[in-house]
Amino acid sequence: SPLLAVCFAASCGVPGIALLTLGVNPLTGALGAFNIFLYTCCYTPMKRMSIANTWVGAVVGAIPPVMGWTAATGSLDAGALLLGGILYSWQFPHFNALSWGLREDYSRGGYCMMSVTHPGLCRRVALRHCLALIGLSTVAPILDITTWTFPIISLPINLYISYLGFRFYRDADRRSSRKLFFCSLWHLPMLLLVMFTCKKSILEKEDKGDLLAESHGRAMEIRLP
């Protein structure tokens, strides 16, 4: 029953948020609470109202890795936003390809999905975010989160999912959508594994900061009479 579902959700959600707030940090707990609100009060009702539910759902899926970052660092900085951006973009080829083969079921269930009401937009958005993954991977070393080997090593898998995204956009059939969906299942863990392997270490960043501070100090000494 709805009452049982609400009670079960509350028995999981309330202690979960409390544990995150008291055992990790308040920022991570707040993000968890916000994500529960976003999922239950915005994303779920919007499924029967507007195709915008997919964009809201992508935000819901992007927040958990952001919470992981804030749990480890205590701050909502560029690394958190980059991880969230990667998860956000990845969800569009993943879900749009999946929903393409379920269009009839979504239609009978009364759900407003791009694949049902805007099939052309569904394929364009999937391709657009496949290409966005290449851009986000390139931004990582610019933000000093990974080395420059990350965008280079990740380029083949990003190009491959972009190729399948283009095939899905062009062919608009179940075969191309299935290929894109199954590629998305291994693409994300592979991309994050490469990102983890190529990440900048804390010691490396501290050494870089010390060098900058030392060079700044020397510059100040030269200026002083």
Side-chain angles (χ1 to χ4, degrees):
S1 67
L3 178 61
L4 181 61
V6 170
C7 291
F8 178 75
S11 67
C12 294
V14 173
I17 294 169
L19 283 171
L20 287 172
T21 303
L22 300 175
V24 184
N25 56 56
L27 176 58
T28 305
L31 286 171
F34 174 69
N35 216 25
I36 291 175
F37 167 78
L38 197 63
Y39 192 97
T40 57
C41 299
C42 300
Y43 171 57
T44 300
M46 286 179 68
K47 287 181 178 180
R48 294 183 178 273
M49 299 165 56
S50 169
I51 62 171
N53 74 82
T54 305
W55 281 268
V56 176
V59 175
V60 172
I63 288 178
V66 174
M67 292 171 64
W69 187 281
T70 60
T73 65
S75 62
L76 195 62
D77 53 21
L81 298 179
L82 178 65
L83 271 179
I86 289 174
L87 265 292
Y88 178 83
S89 284
W90 170 84
Q91 286 175 93
F92 287 96
H94 172 73
F95 178 74
N96 287 14
L98 173 65
S99 67
W100 190 262
L102 302 172
R103 285 177 294 171
E104 295 82 4
D105 295 329
Y106 280 126
S107 181
R108 285 194 297 267
Y111 290 96
C112 293
M113 297 296 173
M114 275 188 283
S115 58
V116 177
T117 59
H118 299 76
L121 179 65
C122 177
R123 302 193 308 276
R124 286 197 303 273
V125 169
L127 174 59
R128 189 181 305 153
H129 283 277
C130 285
L131 297 171
L133 290 170
I134 300 175
L136 288 167
S137 298
T138 307
V139 168
I142 297 175
L143 296 177
D144 203 32
I145 297 167
T146 68
T147 63
W148 278 100
T149 54
F150 171 61
I152 296 171
I153 296 175
S154 64
L155 185 60
I157 61 174
N158 284 334
L159 286 176
Y160 183 65
I161 196 172
S162 298
Y163 165 72
L164 293 181
F166 173 73
R167 289 287 301 271
F168 174 51
Y169 169 75
R170 186 189 66 182
D171 299 341
D173 57 11
R174 291 179 184 268
R175 186 167 180 267
S176 61
S177 68
R178 280 197 301 269
K179 283 188 173 182
L180 179 58
F181 171 72
F182 284 116
C183 174
S184 70
L185 295 180
W186 60 260
H187 173 272
L188 181 63
M190 185 71 70
L191 182 65
L192 294 179
L193 179 62
V194 173
M195 188 178 188
F196 173 76
T197 305
C198 300
K199 71 182 178 70
K200 286 281 189 72
S201 68
I202 296 175
L203 292 175
E204 188 178 350
K205 290 183 179 180
E206 288 178 350
D207 290 342
K208 185 178 179 181
D210 292 341
L211 288 173
L212 289 174
E214 185 179 346
S215 62
H216 178 71
R218 287 176 180 174
M220 290 297 293
E221 288 176 4
I222 292 172
R223 290 175 188 173
L224 291 172

